[in-house]
């Protein structure tokens, strides 16, 4: 559990980070341990292990049999692939992903010259003095250690939560301590899987609308740091699902994304209606209802997408059968996604862990999508400049965009319905936040931000005072 003891300290660290144009010396700040004169270092103090949880697209995938890397692959692959091989196979009986030929085997530290998680690893190692822990290796000393949790980011976040539990179980075994707690640093979608784990552990609660919280994961975690997590979903992900996720010169097609349960679980939460009309009013449509997608002909219901899918099969009956299967799969997983996002926000009576939130608020970020009627057809507008026949009294930039990190808006980061912080939180958006730190950084560059790195180490390495000591100091 994180105490309010940290709040003032962290604000001071943040304020002193970059206002003078100088960068803090993180190694001097955190790697050495200066103690008051006469106070001996406690050699029996255990350093809490840290688990780093990446976000969507954040792990490398390879073929299980050949070992060939599928994602992100070579620079040429990123530029020119059609990405059809990223699609998960579908079990026609359960409508869950069938066993995949690919596996996650490492974190994506960098790709095509872009640093993703290399910076945070270097910060932990070089400045924080952490050693990389390997699951299965016994720990016999008191050194600081971090573990990288990599997972198949295409899979359902419930499955990811179970794998996170597997890792924590292994770390407890390695430390020979069944009561050991860990710290978690989670980026983007990794924060959603972490939040599910804290509430429900290994239990799948998405088969109905009852969400019985057991706090299983929370009992095993000391501190949780969420970085750029879309706690109320991401309109950018909705856009990418409809149009395809751009990588290099190509896009991961919508029919491939539609096989990945995790992507549905990134859609905007229903408490914030993101569909609007040209005159700026909210459109009463349910994003988690298949009929909405059919009516607007989005994603796999787009005639051009359907024709593209159909053309892959030499036998027309095979094409029809796959389209039918994909539609049923879509219906199942968009409903699971509805329950997933609600499962993270329904009120909890006894919240054990409180979150520290870090994220960006300097880039205008998609917050709403607009439906424009053109010649009797409903056209999806994802950006203000796309509106063809706008209402002169509507500011479309203000309507459709909000401050964020380019992918996650500030309201979503804080799990709030409104941008205005003075508006009370929605009654069904329970979010036990300890405090927050805002950065001027884009989503994919958050881990390289020096203020993030400084505050990360300060949060992880600051210890709570015992309650008895606090009471004596009052």
């Amino acid at each position: 559990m994180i105490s309010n003891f940290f709040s003032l300290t962290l604000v001071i660290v943040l304020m002193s980070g970059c206002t003078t144009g100088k960068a803090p010396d993180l190694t001097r700040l955190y790697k050495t341990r200066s103690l008051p004169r006469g106070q001996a270092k406690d050699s029996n103090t255990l350093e809490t292990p840290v688990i780093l949880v990446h976000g969507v697209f954040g792990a490398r995938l390879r073929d299980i049999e050949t070992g060939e890397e599928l994602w992100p692959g070579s620079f040429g692959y990123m530029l020119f692939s059609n990405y059809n091989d990223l699609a998960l196979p579908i079990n026609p009986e359960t409508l869950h992903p069938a066993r995949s030929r690919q596996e996650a085997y490492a974190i994506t530290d960098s790709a095509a010259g872009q640093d993703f998680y290399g910076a945070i690893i270097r910060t932990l190692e070089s400045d924080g003095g952490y050693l990389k822990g390997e699951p299965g290796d016994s720990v016999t000393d008191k050194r600081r250690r971090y573990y990288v949790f990599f997972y198949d980011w295409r899979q359902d976040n419930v499955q990811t939560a179970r794998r996170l539990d597997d890792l924590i179980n292994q770390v407890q075994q390695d430390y020979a301590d069944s009561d050991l707690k860990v710290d978690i640093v989670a980026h983007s979608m990794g924060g959603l899987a972490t939040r599910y784990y804290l509430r429900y552990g290994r239990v799948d609660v998405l088969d109905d609308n009852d969400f019985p919280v057991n706090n299983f994961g929370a009992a095993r975690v000391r501190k949780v740091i969420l970085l750029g997590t879309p706690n109320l979903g991401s309109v950018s992900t909705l856009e990418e699902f409809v149009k395809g996720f751009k990588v290099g010169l190509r896009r991961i097609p919508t029919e491939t994304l539609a096989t990945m349960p995790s992507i549905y679980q990134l859609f905007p939460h229903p408490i914030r209606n993101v569909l609007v009309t040209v005159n700026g009013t909210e459109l009463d449509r349910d994003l988690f209802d298949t009929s909405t997608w059919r009516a607007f002909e989005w994603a796999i219901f787009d005639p051009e997408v359907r024709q593209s899918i159909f053309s892959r099969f030499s036998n027309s009956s095979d094409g029809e059968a796959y389209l039918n299967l994909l539609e049923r799969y879509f219906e199942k997983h968009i409903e699971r996604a509805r329950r997933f996002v609600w499962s993270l926000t329904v009120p909890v009576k006894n919240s054990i862990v409180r979150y520290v939130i870090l994220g960006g608020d300097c880039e205008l970020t998609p917050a709403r999508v607009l439906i424009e009627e053109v010649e009797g057809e409903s056209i999806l507008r994802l950006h203000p400049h796309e509106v063809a026949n706008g209402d002169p009294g509507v500011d479309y930039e203000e309507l459709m965009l909000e401050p964020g990190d380019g992918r996650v808006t500030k309201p979503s980061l804080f799990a709030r319905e409104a941008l205005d912080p003075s508006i009370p939180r929605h009654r069904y958006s329970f979010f036990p936040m300890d405090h927050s730190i805002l950065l001027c950084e884009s989503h994919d560059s958050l881990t390289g931000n020096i203020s993030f790195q400084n505050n990360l180490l300060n949060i992880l390495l600051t210890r709570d005072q015992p309650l008895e000591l606090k009471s004596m100091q009052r």
Side-chain angles (χ1 to χ4, degrees):
M1 180 175 179
I2 300 175
S3 167
N4 288 325
F5 172 74
F6 297 116
S7 301
L8 179 60
T9 306
L10 288 169
V11 170
I12 293 173
V13 170
L14 180 63
M15 292 175 62
S16 63
C18 297
T19 55
T20 64
K22 298 179 182 179
D25 184 343
L26 300 186
T27 300
R28 183 175 178 84
L29 282 168
Y30 300 110
K31 194 169 184 178
T32 59
R33 288 175 154 186
S34 298
L35 297 174
R37 182 176 298 176
Q39 182 177 337
K41 177 179 174 181
D42 182 4
S43 60
N44 293 319
T45 299
L46 175 66
E47 296 286 358
T48 304
V50 175
I51 295 179
L52 173 62
V53 183
H54 62 76
V56 67
F57 300 106
R60 297 180 180 273
L61 304 178
R62 66 183 176 191
D63 187 287
I64 294 174
E65 295 181 0
T66 67
E68 180 182 2
E69 185 173 277
L70 174 68
W71 175 265
S74 66
F75 186 69
Y77 178 85
M78 294 184 69
L79 284 176
F80 304 114
S81 175
N82 60 19
Y83 296 102
N84 290 332
D85 46 4
L86 281 176
L88 286 170
I90 300 172
N91 183 319
E93 296 181 0
T94 65
L95 296 180
H96 285 294
R99 183 176 177 83
S100 175
R101 289 185 53 190
Q102 295 90 33
E103 65 177 357
Y105 74 98
I107 198 169
T108 306
D109 50 355
S110 63
Q114 172 72 44
D115 189 304
F116 293 108
Y117 296 104
I120 192 171
I121 290 173
R122 289 191 295 273
T123 298
L124 290 172
E125 291 182 346
S126 300
D127 302 317
Y130 283 86
L131 300 175
K132 183 178 181 182
E134 295 295 339
D137 289 352
S138 296
V139 176
T140 58
D141 57 41
K142 305 296 182 180
R143 299 285 299 275
R144 300 172 185 167
R145 279 178 172 78
Y146 76 93
Y147 294 81
V148 175
F149 172 58
F150 51 84
Y151 59 95
D152 188 337
W153 39 264
R154 302 172 298 174
Q155 301 284 354
D156 194 301
N157 278 301
V158 175
Q159 178 174 323
T160 299
R162 290 171 174 170
R163 292 207 56 236
L164 177 58
D165 185 53
D166 290 339
L167 175 59
I168 293 175
N169 283 335
Q170 183 62 63
V171 172
Q172 289 178 331
Q173 292 179 34
D174 295 344
Y175 277 75
D177 183 357
S178 60
D179 295 323
L180 176 74
K181 292 190 176 185
V182 301
D183 292 339
I184 295 180
V185 180
H187 177 242
S188 195
M189 187 182 75
L192 301 183
T194 297
R195 289 177 57 207
Y196 185 94
Y197 174 69
L198 295 175
R199 285 182 167 220
Y200 307 105
R202 304 181 68 91
V203 179
D204 186 343
V205 300
L206 305 186
D207 288 334
D208 55 40
N209 294 318
D210 294 325
F211 308 116
V213 175
N214 56 34
N215 282 325
F216 178 87
R220 297 176 160 208
V221 176
R222 185 184 69 139
K223 299 180 181 180
V224 177
I225 301 171
L226 303 181
L227 176 65
T229 295
N231 290 301
L232 282 187
S234 167
V235 171
S236 294
T237 300
L238 177 64
E239 170 189 349
E240 292 158 354
F241 195 95
V242 173
K243 298 178 64 175
F245 184 86
K246 189 172 183 181
V247 182
L249 302 178
R250 306 291 295 274
R251 289 181 182 272
I252 302 176
T254 184
E255 59 266 32
T256 295
L257 295 171
T259 68
M260 305 176 185
S262 63
I263 306 299
Y264 299 82
Q265 295 169 351
L266 288 168
F267 289 170
H269 196 292
I271 67 173
R272 194 159 195 239
N273 193 344
V274 300
L275 298 179
V276 295
T277 65
V278 170
N279 62 15
T281 60
E282 292 186 356
L283 191 61
D284 186 18
R285 296 289 188 276
D286 184 357
L287 272 178
F288 292 89
D289 189 331
T290 305
S291 64
T292 299
W293 294 72
R294 287 185 185 275
F296 289 129
E297 296 186 339
W298 292 343
I300 65 170
F301 303 103
D302 183 327
E304 292 185 8
V305 172
R306 297 175 73 82
Q307 182 56 42
S308 174
I309 296 172
F310 192 79
S311 65
R312 297 180 191 174
F313 296 86
S314 57
N315 187 307
S316 60
S317 61
D318 291 341
E320 291 286 355
Y322 183 74
L323 275 171
N324 178 267
L325 174 63
L326 192 56
E327 288 179 15
R328 292 189 294 122
Y329 183 88
F330 180 97
E331 186 169 3
K332 181 180 184 69
H333 287 281
I334 204 164
E335 179 59 30
R336 276 186 65 83
R338 178 206 303 277
R339 292 170 178 168
F340 177 79
V341 299
W342 277 114
S343 75
L344 298 185
T345 63
V346 294
V348 177
K349 291 183 178 180
N350 299 310
S351 180
I352 301 175
V353 175
R354 298 176 65 85
Y355 317 132
V356 176
I357 308 299
L358 295 96
D361 67 345
C362 288
E363 293 189 27
L364 289 179
T365 303
R368 296 175 186 84
V369 292
L370 187 146
I371 308 298
E372 183 176 9
E373 298 295 328
V374 179
E375 298 180 354
E377 185 177 358
S378 298
I379 306 298
L380 181 67
R381 305 301 191 193
L382 300 167
H383 299 281
H385 68 268
E386 297 176 349
V387 180
N389 301 302
D391 185 327
V394 177
D395 184 335
Y396 291 102
E397 184 171 282
E398 183 174 352
L399 175 66
M400 301 176 69
L401 305 174
E402 289 180 342
D405 64 14
R407 297 186 61 81
V408 178
T409 64
K410 180 184 175 183
S412 181
L413 180 72
F414 291 165
R416 298 187 66 91
E417 186 181 8
L419 176 63
D420 184 350
S422 68
I423 296 176
R425 180 181 297 279
H426 192 284
R427 62 190 180 121
Y428 288 121
S429 181
F430 180 83
F431 193 68
M433 182 173 68
D434 187 88
H435 59 271
S436 62
I437 300 168
L438 292 170
L439 310 168
C440 217
E441 197 65 78
S442 63
H443 188 78
D444 292 335
S445 301
L446 287 168
T447 61
N449 181 283
I450 187 64
S451 290
F452 161 69
Q453 295 166 1
N454 191 5
N455 281 283
L456 170 69
L457 293 177
N458 192 60
I459 295 165
L460 292 176
L461 298 177
T462 301
R463 292 188 178 277
D464 283 313
Q465 291 176 309
L467 293 176
E468 308 82 58
L469 179 58
K470 287 183 181 180
S471 63
M472 289 173 61
Q473 291 179 339
R474 290 193 181 119

